[in-house]
Amino acid sequence: MGEDLKVRMIENGTVIDHLPAGSAMHIAGLLNLSSNLPVIIAMNVESAREGKKDMVKIENKFLSRQETDKISFVAPNATINIIKNRKVKDKRRVNPPDELNDILECPNKKCITNMEDCGTKFLKKGQKYKCYFCESQFRIEEFNL
């Protein structure tokens, strides 16, 4: 007890930091991380800012905008760190976008997007997202992430 947790550095890739405690496995699932990529998952580690947090380190993978958007729903205060040659080259906070295309399924079972092969589109309206097609509004918790 009393020793700091040491998590191996990665050479190149992405570190997703400041995740809510207990959310790392969910994030890994959202990203469909390939079994051939080295992944380090740290859960419930101490954090001065959050008390407890999770972290995901993915060797040799850089996240797309769509992947970052997915993370923003589960962890709106997450930080994305791009690592190159063992150094942080870019650091940014996730930001839930104002418009989502082809990322989430509409929770409304009667929505045309759930009956036909077409994309989805949601527009941010305050704390909710409105389906462009059926015009229903949903809180983040209502989506099947």
Side-chain angles (χ1 to χ4, degrees), residues 49-64:
R49 194 165 91 185
E50 288 104 9
K52 297 252 184 220
K53 69 175 182 177
D54 286 5
M55 177 188 317
V56 177
K57 293 184 173 192
I58 313 160
E59 188 89 41
N60 299 319
K61 178 168 176 62
F62 301 98
L63 300 179
S64 68

Side-chain angles (χ1 to χ4, degrees), residues 65 69-70 72-73 76 95-101 103-108 121-132 134-143 145:
R65 172 64 189 214
D69 288 348
K70 285 182 184 180
S72 72
F73 284 102
N95 188 20
D98 292 333
E99 183 177 313
L100 293 169
N101 295 302
I103 295 177
L104 302 169
E105 291 180 11
C106 185
N108 177 4
K121 180 177 180 178
F122 293 92
L123 305 171
K124 190 172 183 181
K125 300 289 182 186
Q127 295 296 315
K128 294 184 177 185
Y129 280 86
K130 179 180 176 181
C131 177
Y132 178 80
C134 71
E135 298 188 350
S136 298
Q137 293 189 32
F138 306 97
R139 293 182 318 277
I140 291 171
E141 304 83 41
E142 294 177 87
F143 288 97
L145 298 173

Side-chain angles (χ1 to χ4, degrees), residues 24-79:
M25 296 302 287
H26 188 67
I27 296 290
L30 279 177
L31 297 176
N32 294 320
L33 295 176
S34 172
S35 60
N36 63 352
L37 290 173
V39 176
I40 299 167
I41 295 178
M43 297 179 69
N44 296 309
V45 296
E46 288 188 31
S47 166
R49 194 165 91 185
E50 288 104 9
K52 297 252 184 220
K53 69 175 182 177
D54 286 5
M55 177 188 317
V56 177
K57 293 184 173 192
I58 313 160
E59 188 89 41
N60 299 319
K61 178 168 176 62
F62 301 98
L63 300 179
S64 68
R65 172 64 189 214
Q66 199 169 41
E67 290 170 319
T68 303
D69 288 348
K70 285 182 184 180
I71 293 167
S72 72
F73 284 102
V74 177
N77 296 316
T79 304

